[in-house]
Amino acid sequence: RLHRLSLSSRLLLAVLLAVVSALTVASMATRAALRSFLIARVDTGLSASSEAVSHQLDEHGGNDGGRDGGGGDPFRAVVPENTFVQVRDSSGAVEFASIVGLTQGSTQPNLGLDRKSSLGYRTVRSIRDGDAPMRIQLSDLVGGRQLIVAVSLRDEESTLRRLGNIELGAALAALGIAMAGGWAFVRLGLRPLRQVERTATAIANGELDRRVPGESEHTEFGRLATTFNAMLNRIQLAFALRDAKEQELRGSEERMRRFVGDASHELRTPLAAVSAYAELFTLRAHQQPQDLERTMNGIRKETSRMGSLVQDLLALARLDDGQTMEQRPIELVSIVAESVNAANLIDSAWPVKLIAPHPIDCVGDAIRIRQVIDNLLANVRAHTPLGTETEVRLNRTDDTATIVVADNGPGMTEDQAKRIFERFYRIDPSRSRRSGGAGLGLSIVEAIVIAQHGRIEVQSMPGAGTSFVIDLPTTLSCSSADVRDDAASAHTG
C-alpha cells in the first residue's frame, strides 16, 4: 500500500525506519558491550576468590577451611559476601558448601553440575526461583577434588535493565524529534517539487511562459528544474511553431482563394469575349463577310490572351514544383545587353540604358535570366508614363553578381512595394487592359530568381522611382534538390 502514500509520507516513514533501525543496532551493541564488560569484571572477582579459597584450603590440610568453633563462615575473610563456595570430592559428592554472609543451614543452591562438567566459567539460570542468574567458576583441587565459586548477577542484571530503560526513553525521545524534524525537513526539501507541480498546473491552464525557479547544477532539484525548463522551452517553441504554421496555412489558404478568384476573373473576361464573338458569328457574321474577319480577329486576340495567361500559370506551377534549371557558366552582361536592345527596339518612348563596366561570369540559366530582365523592362513600359528612363546596372562582388533595374517613374507606396510580387496583384485595382497584364510577370521574376539560388528585392518611394535589385551567385553552391525546395517555398499559394 506504499504507492497510495504521498512522497512526503513515504520519505518520513523511511526516516523513521532508519532511526528505529539505527537505535536498535546501537542499543544492542551497547547492551552487548556493557554485558561483556560486567561479566569480565565478575570473572575477575571469581578468579580472585577461587585462588583465595584454594590457598586457604591448602593451609588447613584440604578440609573445610578450618571452620571456627563458633560456627562462622571460614571464607568470610577471603571472599566477598554473597559468594557461594562448594567443594566436591573426586566422586562428585559435596564435601563442603557455604554462602558467605549467610547463616549455616540456609538452603543451598543446586547448580546442576556433575563430575563431568567442564572447567572454567559459565552462567547458570538462578539459584532460587525468581532470583538472578549466577556466574560460576569450576576449578580442580589437589586429590581430584573440585572447587566451585559462584556469585549472583543481580547487580549486573539490574544495571542492564536500567540501561534498557534509559535506552527506551532515549529512543522514544529520538523518534519524536526525528518525526518532527523529519517532517519539517521533508516539507522543506520537497518545496521545489511543489513549485514544479504549481508550474505544471499553470502551464496546463495556458500560462506557457511560466518556469520553475532554482536552476542549479549542484542539486537534484536544481538539475530537475533545469531539465524541466528546457522541456518547457521546447514545448513553448513547438506551440509557437504550430501557431505560426497555422497562421501560415491560413494565409496560404487566403492566398489560394484570392489566386483562384483572380485567375477566374482573368479567364472570365476573354472567355466572355470569345463567347460573344461566337454568338455574333452565329447571329449574322457568317452572312456578312465584312464582320467575319472582325469576329475571327477578336476570337484570335482573346484566345491569345488566354494562352499567355495559361502559359504564365504553367510556368509558375513548374517553378513551384521544382523544375530543374540549367546551372552552367554564362556571361551575364551579354544576356542583359540583348534584353536592353530588344526593349529599345520595342518602344523607344521608354529609353533603357545599360551600365556594365566589365564582363561578369556567373552560373545560371541564360534563357530564364533573359526572361527576368524582359519582364522587368516590360513592367516599366506597362506602369510608367511615356518618357520614363530606365538604367540597368551590373556589378560583381566576390561571389555575387548584382543586377539593378532602376527607373525614374512615379514609384510606389510602401504597401504596394510589399505586395508587388504577389500573384495577380496589380497596383490598378480596376484590372483594365491599359494598366498591364494579369499581374503574374513579377511573380514569375521572383520564382525564377529564387530557383537560380538568388534573391530579389524592390526599393521604391512615391515620386522617387522604383529599383529592382537582383543578386545571383557566380558559382554553383546548391544542388538541384535545393533548387526545387527554394522554388517550391517561394509561393505556397
Side-chain angles (χ1 to χ4, degrees):
R1 299 180 180 177
L2 287 178
H3 69 278
R4 299 181 181 178
L5 298 177
S6 64
L7 179 59
S8 56
S9 300
R10 280 182 280 178
L11 289 176
L12 182 60
L13 181 60
V15 170
L16 294 180
L17 289 176
V19 171
V20 169
S21 301
L23 290 175
T24 302
V25 172
S27 175
M28 295 175 62
T30 303
R31 189 178 182 86
L34 180 60
R35 186 179 185 85
S36 176
F37 170 76
L38 294 176
I39 294 298
R41 190 173 64 177
V42 170
D43 289 347
T44 301
L46 289 176
S47 178
S49 297
S50 179
E51 289 179 3
V53 170
S54 297
H55 181 70
Q56 188 165 340
L57 289 174
D58 291 341
E59 287 182 352
H60 292 82
N63 55 18
D64 60 359
R67 187 187 303 275
D68 57 15
D73 194 327
F75 302 116
R76 179 183 297 275
V78 296
V79 297
E81 288 191 1
N82 298 322
T83 301
F84 174 72
V85 179
Q86 188 181 77
V87 178
R88 297 184 179 186
D89 59 18
S90 58
S91 63
V94 177
E95 293 183 357
F96 172 77
S98 72
I99 299 179
V100 176
L102 298 180
T103 59
Q104 295 295 322
S106 300
T107 302
Q108 302 297 325
N110 181 12
L111 301 179
L113 301 175
D114 54 26
R115 183 62 187 171
K116 296 180 180 180
S117 299
S118 59
L119 303 178
Y121 302 95
R122 71 188 61 192
T123 301
V124 297
R125 297 288 299 173
S126 62
I127 61 175
R128 296 182 182 89
D129 293 338
D131 206 347
M134 294 193 70
R135 185 71 174 174
I136 65 175
Q137 181 188 19
L138 180 62
S139 58
D140 286 336
L141 296 174
V142 295
R145 296 187 299 173
Q146 287 184 333
L147 172 64
I148 300 172
V149 181
V151 295
S152 174
L153 296 178
R154 181 184 303 107
D155 294 340
E156 287 73 15
E157 291 295 322
S158 176
T159 300
L160 291 174
R161 282 195 299 271
R162 291 185 61 189
L163 175 63
N165 294 333
I166 293 173
E167 289 179 336
L168 179 60
L172 293 176
L175 281 176
I177 295 174
M179 181 177 293
W183 179 253
F185 281 110
V186 165
R187 287 184 60 84
L188 181 63
L190 293 181
R191 182 182 298 173
L193 191 59
R194 290 192 293 272
Q195 291 176 340
V196 172
E197 179 183 0
R198 288 193 295 269
T199 302
T201 302
I203 291 173
N205 293 330
E207 300 179 26
L208 297 181
D209 57 339
R210 288 285 296 273
R211 294 295 181 270
V212 179
E215 294 187 14
S216 173
E217 294 295 330
H218 305 292
T219 63
E220 291 81 359
F221 280 117
R223 291 190 290 271
L224 174 62
T226 301
T227 304
F228 192 75
N229 288 339
M231 179 189 68
L232 293 180
N233 290 333
R234 292 189 177 183
I235 291 175
Q236 187 176 19
L237 178 60
F239 275 108
L241 291 176
R242 184 202 64 179
D243 294 340
K245 189 65 175 179
E246 289 179 354
Q247 184 66 27
E248 180 183 353
L249 290 175
R250 284 193 294 268
S252 177
E253 184 179 358
E254 178 63 27
R255 288 193 299 271
M256 177 63 72
R257 285 197 297 266
R258 189 168 59 247
F259 174 82
V260 172
D262 291 339
S264 300
H265 179 85
E266 291 293 335
L267 290 172
R268 183 176 57 187
T269 301
L271 283 174
V274 170
S275 178
Y277 283 123
E279 185 177 356
L280 177 62
F281 176 79
T282 303
L283 291 177
R284 57 187 177 87
H286 65 285
Q287 298 175 355
Q288 300 179 9
Q290 65 274 16
D291 291 335
L292 177 60
E293 182 179 358
R294 183 166 62 89
T295 301
M296 298 307 296
N297 286 336
I299 292 175
R300 187 164 45 250
K301 182 178 180 181
E302 295 302 332
T303 55
S304 176
R305 181 182 176 189
M306 284 191 295
S308 177
L309 176 61
V310 171
Q311 282 295 111
D312 289 343
L313 291 174
L314 180 60
L316 285 173
R318 288 175 176 174
L319 290 171
D320 289 347
D321 196 39
Q323 182 185 33
T324 303
M325 291 194 176
E326 291 185 356
Q327 296 292 308
R328 63 175 60 183
I330 57 174
E331 204 288 302
L332 188 60
V333 175
S334 61
I335 296 172
V336 176
E338 292 176 359
S339 182
V340 170
N341 293 333
N344 286 322
L345 290 175
I346 290 173
D347 200 331
S348 60
W350 285 272
V352 183
K353 181 171 62 174
L354 175 63
I355 302 175
H358 47 73
I360 298 176
D361 294 325
C362 68
V363 175
D365 188 327
I367 296 177
R368 290 297 187 178
I369 292 176
R370 169 68 187 273
Q371 184 180 1
V372 167
I373 305 302
D374 288 343
N375 283 6
L376 290 176
L377 295 179
N379 188 69
V380 174
R381 293 193 298 271
H383 299 286
T384 61
L386 292 172
T388 299
E389 297 180 354
T390 304
E391 284 188 356
V392 181
R393 299 187 295 270
L394 282 80
N395 200 357
R396 175 178 176 171
T397 58
D398 293 337
D399 56 357
T400 303
T402 302
I403 305 173
V404 180
V405 179
D407 63 64
N408 60 355
M412 296 179 290
T413 65
E414 182 179 356
D415 182 65
Q416 291 171 342
K418 288 181 179 179
R419 301 185 57 191
I420 195 66
F421 294 112
E422 292 183 10
R423 298 175 184 184
F424 292 109
Y425 174 74
R426 291 190 298 186
I427 295 176
D428 180 13
S430 65
R431 296 184 178 274
S432 65
R433 298 185 185 183
R434 172 63 188 89
S435 62
L440 296 176
L442 292 181
S443 299
I444 294 175
V445 167
E446 183 189 38
I448 291 175
V449 171
I450 292 175
Q452 295 284 329
H453 315 297
R455 65 184 184 89
I456 183 171
E457 64 178 11
V458 60
Q459 302 169 356
S460 183
M461 292 181 61
T466 301
S467 297
F468 290 91
V469 181
I470 302 171
D471 291 328
L472 296 174
T474 57
T475 58
L476 182 60
S477 58
C478 300
S479 66
S480 59
D482 296 328
V483 175
R484 290 191 296 271
D485 292 342
D486 291 341
S489 63
H491 290 288
T492 58

